[in-house]
Amino acid sequence: MTRIILPSDEVDRRLRQWMESSGSEASFEEFFDAALYHPEFGYYSNNIRTVGNRGDFSTSASLDPSLARAIARWIVVTSRLEQPRVRDVIEIGAGDGSLASSVLRFLPWLLRRSLNFHIVDRSLPLRDKQKEILRGKGNVQWHESVEDALATCKGRAFLFSNELVDAFPPRVFQWVEDAKSWKEVYLSLDKEGNLLESLKTNEDAPSAESASSFRDGQRIERHDSYARWLDTWINGWNAGEMLTIDYGDDFPALYHRRPRGTIRGFFHHVRIEAGPEIYTRFGHHDLTTDINFTALTKHHLDRGLTGIANESQGDFIERFAPEKKTPLPAITEARNAFRCLRFKPPES
């Protein structure tokens, strides 16, 4: 089953070159990874400008400073009551550094002096912006990987991330009713240079039982890349707590009225819906997905982590930094859309 997505005159030159170098075909996961992280033309590698009103997209932290206050209070409470010997904090995927700057500002002065702050980020342009905004604001170190950061901390650290998981390349599957199975989405170029989508059978596709509430053509995403990434460092973490903040829902509610799945892009704050336009401007717009929190929680628990909390961002803020004033409706809506998951390391 093959469908034409883009005619040759609309296929970006960089995309065509990458496809030709990839061989006969590439999975959607490989396309997503190249579009964001390719060292020569990936969005986060070379083309991102910044985060916020002047950038291509805004994060929840750039819109709502109370999140930074709550994260700072989470570090204070956890370090005093549960993990008094942990003196390192690792932020994974720090954007332009504004969240780290605000968290450091909200920490008590004595604790800020005693903590070591670490940032792990793949994007060199964003790392440059982080160093600008965090200059002189504390003991901050940068690392290439979480594994390297944990080695520096001797495995003892508080880890947090905001809108990190949604940037991991997902595999995309489509339900085919006639075959009663999920097929994986692949891309290829025909002889005329048109970009094609095809559906392939893979043994590790989701089970048919997971499609009981879906119609023919439904698409879903699966973040196997996130699970592989966890495996690279999770055994090196032995004390502290982890906070993961992202947007999405549980499965299958995540895909209610979303037959094309949750893939979308952002270009100068303009939202790009799932469809042919996702493949345009290769490397020049952000790509993202909503998070399947059912699967995300399972990834952590399967690796021996202990779940502490799974709550809305609003409840997390209310727990650690309750506000006297009622937030604006738009802020309340955003807080309800985001989820905060907290875990402890194995055998902690």
Side-chain angles (χ1 to χ4, degrees):
M1 178 179 179
T2 304
R3 188 163 62 92
I4 296 178
I5 295 297
L6 285 179
S8 60
D9 60 346
E10 294 183 26
V11 178
D12 189 286
R13 173 181 54 82
R14 295 176 303 274
L15 176 56
R16 182 181 289 107
Q17 291 175 343
W18 175 76
M19 287 292 301
E20 290 172 349
S21 68
S22 299
S24 59
E25 63 181 3
S27 67
F28 187 90
E29 179 186 62
E30 292 169 325
F31 159 79
F32 192 108
D33 184 73
L36 294 189
Y37 303 111
H38 191 282
E40 294 180 16
F41 49 73
Y43 175 73
Y44 284 113
S45 302
N46 287 292
N47 296 316
I48 186 172
R49 299 181 303 165
T50 187
V51 178
N53 292 333
R54 296 183 179 180
D56 291 320
F57 61 93
S58 297
T59 66
S60 61
S62 66
L63 301 173
D64 188 1
S66 58
L67 177 61
R69 186 182 296 109
I71 292 173
R73 184 60 183 167
W74 163 70
I75 294 171
V76 170
V77 170
T78 310
S79 63
R80 287 178 180 174
L81 299 180
E82 299 184 29
Q83 302 286 347
R85 291 180 296 165
V86 178
R87 284 294 176 265
D88 290 272
V89 178
I90 302 172
E91 183 179 5
I92 311 169
D96 65 355
S98 58
L99 179 58
S101 177
S102 296
V103 169
L104 286 167
R105 176 164 56 91
F106 288 127
L107 286 172
W109 181 74
L110 287 176
L111 182 59
R112 185 166 66 246
R113 287 194 62 186
S114 66
L115 283 176
N116 301 306
F117 204 97
H118 307 263
I119 289 178
V120 176
D121 207 304
R122 292 179 63 178
S123 172
L124 291 179
L126 286 180
R127 287 173 69 166
D128 289 341
K129 295 181 185 300
Q130 294 158 11
K131 291 176 181 179
E132 288 179 16
I133 198 170
L134 291 167
R135 185 177 294 116
K137 295 188 178 181
N139 179 21
V140 184
Q141 303 175 52
W142 277 262
H143 304 268
E144 294 292 333
S145 67
V146 181
E147 188 177 15
D148 292 341
L150 284 172
T152 302
C153 306
K154 296 180 169 45
R156 308 179 62 84
F158 301 109
L159 301 95
F160 74 92
S161 65
N162 181 54
E163 299 186 51
L164 170 74
V165 185
D166 60 81
F168 274 80
R171 297 171 70 181
V172 175
F173 296 90
Q174 180 170 315
W175 177 249
V176 179
E177 183 65 28
D178 288 346
K180 299 295 182 184
S181 65
W182 293 100
K183 308 286 186 179
E184 186 165 5
V185 174
Y186 279 77
L187 304 176
S188 61
L189 292 173
D190 66 12
K191 294 180 180 180
E192 286 72 40
N194 303 307
L195 182 66
L196 310 179
E197 271 189 356
S198 60
L199 302 178
K200 293 182 60 176
T201 300
N202 278 333
E203 292 183 356
D204 64 344
S207 66
E209 288 77 11
S210 64
S212 59
S213 60
F214 295 138
R215 296 181 178 180
D216 183 55
Q218 174 70 52
R219 288 194 172 185
I220 64 173
E221 303 86 27
R222 197 173 77 185
H223 287 87
D224 291 13
S225 60
Y226 180 80
R228 296 193 300 267
W229 172 76
L230 275 180
D231 288 334
T232 66
W233 61 266
I234 202 68
N235 290 333
W237 183 43
N238 52 58
E241 196 168 299
M242 177 166 62
L243 169 66
T244 299
I245 306 168
D246 227 309
Y247 46 84
D249 205 341
D250 295 323
F251 185 87
L254 176 62
Y255 296 104
H256 180 59
R257 295 184 178 178
R258 289 168 140 179
R260 297 293 299 170
T262 72
I263 299 284
R264 59 197 179 279
F266 288 93
F267 184 72
H268 297 183
H269 286 275
V270 176
R271 178 174 170 134
I272 303 165
E273 298 295 344
E277 196 176 358
I278 286 293
Y279 300 113
T280 63
R281 293 187 292 272
F282 188 53
H284 281 274
H285 60 226
D286 185 31
L287 294 173
T288 186
T289 70
D290 279 17
I291 300 306
N292 174 349
F293 285 111
T294 303
L296 183 65
T297 299
K298 188 175 186 301
H299 287 326
H300 292 94
L301 299 183
D302 284 350
R303 286 155 181 80
L305 275 65
T306 301
I308 302 172
N310 182 340
E311 59 191 351
S312 70
Q313 182 177 295
D315 287 342
F316 173 78
I317 292 171
E318 184 65 24
R319 179 188 302 276
F320 287 102
E323 299 169 298
K324 296 180 181 179
K325 295 182 179 180
T326 301
L328 296 173
I331 295 295
T332 299
E333 182 179 355
R335 291 180 182 179
N336 290 335
F338 281 77
R339 196 85 64 87
C340 295
L341 278 62
R342 293 161 52 209
F343 298 93
K344 287 185 177 180
E347 302 178 359
S348 66

